[in-house]
Amino acid sequence: MTQSPVSQLELENTLSAFYRWEKEKAHQPFLRQPYGNDWKEYTWHNAGEQIRKMAAYLKRELPANSKVALLSYNCSHWVMADLAIMLAGHISVPIYPSAGSDTITTILEHSESKLAFIGKYPEWDKKSDTIPEDVQLIGCHQHHTEMKDWDEIIAGEEPYEDSPVPDMDELATIIYTSGTTGMPKGVMITHKILSNGAAAASAFIDLKDERCFSYLPLAHCAERELTEIISIHTGSTISFTESLEMFQENIRSVKPTIFFGVPRIWLKFQHGIEEQVGKAKLKILLKIPFLNSLIRKKILKGLGLEEAKICLSGAAGLPRGTSNFFRSIGIKICEAYGLTETMAFSHASIPDKWKAGSVGVTLPTAEAKIAESGEILLRSPCIMKGYYKEPLKTAEVLDDDGFFHTGDLGRIDDDGFLFITGRLKDIFKTSKGKYVTPAPIEATLEPELGVEHLCVIGDGLPSPVAVASIYNKQFSDKKGYHDEAVELLKMLNNKLESHEKLAKLILVDEEWNTENGLITPTLKIRRQQIEDRYKGRVEKHLKSDDLVIWD
C-alpha cells in the first residue's frame, strides 16, 4: 500500500522567520538558560543582536560557504551560533558532544570545517586534541587560551545589518549519521528541507507559540528540527536543562507544551514512577475511580508534563508495555518516524490520530510505500540532497523516482498507519538456516529487564542469544533479579517462533559506550561490533545448562 502526499505547502525560509519574530516579539523570551535556580533569558532582540554581531565576524573571517562546526551540549549559544552561521552564509556541521574522539576528528576533517564553536562541553579537556590545528575555535562556555571568546568577539563587533534570505536550494547544514554500520555519513540538508519540515509538522500538530524543553542532542536531526527550527518558525520559546541532576527540576519549572523523548527517556520516567510508588501498588490505585484522577495529576505534575498538549517519542520503537503504562496515567505518547536523510521527517501520530504500535501517518507533503522486500520507501521535499562527497553511496539509497530506501522494514495498514517491523541489515541467519529479526525481541526484553543496553545476536549460531550490559546496575537482591530474568526469558520464548527462541541471556558487567565503539552517539547499539566482541564468549556459554548467565 502507498500513502500519497498532499499539495505543496507555502514555505518561509528559517532566517525569514527569525527576522519576523526579531521585530514582532523583540522583547519576548526566545532562549532560556538555567543557572542553578535562576534563568538567563535572551529575548528575540537580545539574541538577534548577538547573532548579527557574530555573523559579521564570521563573514569577515571565513570564505563564503565555509563549513563551521558546533560541538556543545544544548544551550542558548548553540542556537545563536547556528543562526549566526546561517546569517553569515556558511554551512553548519553539528557534532554530538558524546561522539568518540576518532569520530570528532573524522567529521571535522571530512567536512573541511574552518571553524568550530565549542559551547557547554565539560569533556573539552579530554577531547581538545581531537580538533585539527587549522580549525579556529570560539568558546561560548569555555575559557581556554587556545580559543577566542564569544563575548569578547561580539564586544568588538557592530551588528550585521542586512537580512539576507538564502536560496531554498542552498545547503544549510551537513548532519552526520550516528554510524551504526560504519563511519558516519554527511547528510546534506538544504534550507528548503528545514522549512518544509517545520511547515508540515506545525500544520499537522498545530504548533504555535509553544514552550519547548531542549535536552536531547541538538546535533540529532529530530531535536534540531522539532525544537530549534520549528521554534524559530512558530515564534516559540526554547528552555534548556542545566544538567542531568537538575533535569527534573528544570522541566517542572518550564512546564513544556510539547515534549519529545526517545524511548530510553520514557523508560526512565516509567521506572522512576514505579520505584517511587511501587509497581503493584500503582496498578491497584489506578483502578480506583476517585484516586485514579488524583494519582494521574500528581504524576504529571511531578514529571512537569501537566501542560503538555502532545508528547512524542522517536528515534527507536517504543515498547508496547511502556506505551500502555503512560496511557494508564493519562499520557498518550505519539510516536514519530524519520531518519537523518529525511531530516526526521516522514510520519507522526497525534492524540486524535493514533494507533498502538504505529509511528503514525504521513506528514503533509510526504509519501511512503512498501517495496516487495518489505522495505519502507519515502519521498518528500525533505529528502536529503545527498551524502557529502559520497555520490556512490547516495545512488545506493536514492532511486530514479526520488524515493529514499530507508533500510527499515514495515507495513502500512488500510487506514494509512505505518508499523516498523525491523531493519534489513539487522536480520541474521542461524546455523540452522533460519532468519531472525532481532529488533522486536530486543524491544520486548530490554525494558522488562531494566538494563542499559541489550543486543540479540546469532549469525551462524544454532539459536539466537541476548547479550545485555548491566554496567553499574545496583542489585539489592541479585538472586531475585536472576530468577526474574529467567522467568521473563521463559515467557518471551513461549511467544516466539521456535527458530527465534533465545538460547541464553548473558549479562555482562561492561559499559557500552562511544569510546569502545559499541554504541553510537545517539545510544543505538552497533550490532556487528557487539557480535565481534562477545561471540567467542557466547559460544563458550552455549555449553552451559543455565538460561541466564552472569559473565
Side-chain angles (χ1 to χ4, degrees):
M1 180 175 177
T2 302
Q3 291 172 299
S4 299
V6 300
S7 58
Q8 277 195 322
L9 297 164
E10 184 177 339
L11 302 183
E12 180 181 29
N13 191 284
T14 302
L15 276 178
S16 297
F18 175 73
Y19 302 149
R20 180 158 56 89
W21 300 124
E22 190 182 20
K23 293 178 180 178
E24 293 182 17
K25 290 191 166 188
H27 303 296
Q28 295 183 39
F30 171 35
L31 305 169
R32 301 177 71 245
Q33 186 73 41
Y35 294 94
N37 293 319
D38 297 323
W39 291 84
K40 165 69 175 175
E41 289 193 346
Y42 298 88
T43 65
W44 288 89
H45 172 75
N46 294 150
E49 189 171 36
Q50 293 204 34
I51 289 163
R52 288 179 176 277
K53 287 182 176 182
M54 185 54 69
Y57 175 84
L58 295 176
K59 283 188 73 69
R60 187 179 64 253
E61 287 288 313
L62 302 175
N65 299 312
S66 289
K67 315 302 188 304
V68 180
L70 288 159
L71 181 57
S72 170
Y73 285 96
N74 297 15
C75 63
S76 297
H77 282 81
W78 202 109
V79 176
M80 289 193 285
D82 192 25
L83 282 165
I85 294 166
M86 207 179 292
L87 177 54
H90 300 311
I91 299 157
S92 61
V93 181
I95 302 175
Y96 288 99
S98 59
S101 300
D102 291 343
T103 300
I104 294 173
T105 303
T106 298
I107 290 174
L108 288 170
E109 292 177 345
H110 184 265
S111 66
E112 301 172 276
S113 291
K114 302 290 185 184
L115 184 148
F117 285 98
I118 311 298
K120 182 181 178 184
Y121 195 40
E123 290 86 358
W124 173 248
D125 288 337
K126 297 178 183 177
K127 295 185 179 179
S128 58
D129 60 352
T130 62
I131 312 294
E133 291 184 1
D134 60 343
V135 176
Q136 183 185 153
L137 302 179
I138 296 178
C140 305
H141 287 266
Q142 302 286 338
H143 300 284
H144 296 276
T145 55
E146 70 267 28
M147 63 177 72
K148 296 185 177 181
D149 181 72
W150 173 287
D151 291 333
E152 290 178 1
I153 289 173
I154 65 172
E157 294 286 343
E158 291 298 320
Y160 183 62
E161 294 183 356
D162 292 345
S163 297
V165 179
D167 186 279
M168 282 292 199
D169 292 324
E170 285 185 20
L171 191 59
T173 185
I174 301 174
I175 301 177
Y176 281 80
T177 62
S178 56
T180 53
T181 57
M183 287 309 297
K185 297 184 287 289
V187 175
M188 295 189 286
I189 300 296
T190 64
H191 288 276
K192 181 179 181 180
I193 292 171
L194 296 179
S195 298
N196 187 86
S202 299
F204 184 76
I205 305 177
D206 187 24
L207 301 175
K208 186 179 180 182
D209 197 21
E210 306 297 335
R211 293 194 304 274
C212 297
F213 184 68
S214 181
Y215 67 101
L216 296 171
L218 278 164
H220 191 283
C221 60
E223 181 75 2
R224 180 95 171 275
E225 184 72 27
L226 187 62
T227 301
E228 182 199 14
I229 302 301
I230 286 179
S231 291
I232 293 169
H233 279 261
T234 60
S236 299
T237 302
I238 307 173
S239 298
F240 299 91
T241 186
E242 183 175 11
S243 62
L244 185 62
E245 293 73 26
M246 293 292 290
F247 176 87
Q248 208 66 62
E249 187 172 330
N250 290 155
I251 193 173
R252 282 195 292 262
S253 172
V254 173
K255 297 182 180 65
T257 57
I258 177 170
F259 182 78
F260 174 62
V262 294
R264 188 168 297 278
I265 292 296
W266 293 112
L267 281 166
K268 286 185 180 295
F269 281 168
Q270 178 184 352
H271 292 154
I273 295 165
E274 289 177 337
E275 286 176 10
Q276 188 173 0
V277 182
K279 194 171 182 178
K281 182 181 178 181
L282 182 61
K283 285 183 178 180
I284 294 171
L285 292 174
L286 289 173
K287 291 179 181 179
I288 302 172
F290 174 69
L291 287 177
N292 180 295
S293 179
L294 292 176
I295 293 292
R296 285 183 172 191
K297 287 180 180 178
K298 187 173 181 179
I299 291 174
L300 290 179
K301 188 173 182 179
L303 292 174
L305 299 178
E306 69 267 36
E307 295 184 20
K309 67 181 184 183
I310 185 167
C311 292
L312 295 159
S313 181
L318 185 69
R320 184 69 62 89
T322 300
S323 178
N324 292 340
F325 170 83
F326 280 98
R327 285 183 72 191
S328 74
I329 62 171
I331 299 178
K332 186 181 283 187
I333 299 176
C334 299
E335 291 196 68
Y337 173 68
L339 303 97
T340 308
E341 291 86 348
T342 70
M343 197 55 195
F345 180 86
S346 173
H347 290 70
S349 303
I350 53 176
D352 294 335
K353 191 175 287 187
W354 181 93
K355 279 191 180 182
S358 170
V359 294
V361 298
T362 50
L363 289 162
T365 72
E367 62 181 308
K369 67 178 182 179
I370 306 298
E372 289 186 7
S373 63
E375 184 180 12
I376 302 166
L377 309 184
L378 302 176
R379 183 167 63 184
S380 80
C382 287
I383 299 297
M384 67 173 179
K385 190 174 182 179
Y387 293 124
Y388 186 55
K389 298 181 181 178
E390 300 280 5
L392 294 180
K393 289 183 178 179
T394 300
E396 289 175 3
V397 296
L398 286 177
D399 64 28
D400 294 338
D401 294 323
F403 277 96
F404 172 65
H405 293 239
T406 65
D408 290 324
L409 299 169
R411 63 180 177 85
I412 300 172
D413 72 9
D414 292 338
D415 296 318
F417 283 83
L418 175 65
F419 294 80
I420 310 297
T421 58
R423 184 148 181 87
L424 272 173
K425 290 182 180 179
D426 288 347
I427 297 174
F428 59 80
K429 186 166 68 171
T430 66
S431 61
K432 297 176 183 177
K434 296 291 186 178
Y435 286 96
V436 176
T437 303
I441 302 173
E442 292 163 350
T444 301
L445 187 57
E446 182 179 323
E448 294 295 330
L449 288 171
V451 294
E452 280 299 307
H453 302 285
L454 182 142
C455 179
V456 172
I457 61 175
D459 187 35
L461 297 175
S463 299
V465 171
V467 182
S469 168
I470 54 167
Y471 182 75
N472 270 349
K473 186 173 176 63
Q474 301 297 316
F475 296 100
S476 55
D477 181 3
K478 186 174 180 179
K479 184 180 184 306
Y481 182 85
H482 179 277
D483 293 345
E484 184 180 347
V486 170
E487 290 305 311
L488 285 170
L489 203 57
K490 287 180 179 178
M491 285 191 289
L492 175 62
N493 279 340
N494 286 336
K495 298 175 183 178
L496 296 173
E497 299 292 330
S498 58
H499 66 281
E500 297 176 318
K501 295 182 186 298
L502 298 175
K504 306 287 176 190
L505 166 62
I506 300 172
L507 302 169
V508 296
D509 190 12
E510 293 180 325
E511 184 179 12
W512 297 0
N513 55 38
T514 55
E515 289 298 328
N516 60 29
L518 298 184
I519 64 167
T520 71
T522 55
L523 304 182
K524 294 177 182 176
I525 58 173
R526 283 194 163 113
R527 195 174 301 278
Q528 187 59 55
Q529 286 83 340
I530 292 170
E531 184 166 346
D532 292 344
R533 187 181 186 92
Y534 295 109
K535 194 165 186 178
R537 289 150 73 173
V538 166
E539 290 173 345
K540 179 189 72 174
H541 289 311
L542 283 175
K543 301 172 184 177
S544 169
D545 293 331
D546 295 327
L547 194 58
V548 175
I549 295 171
W550 301 74
D551 188 285

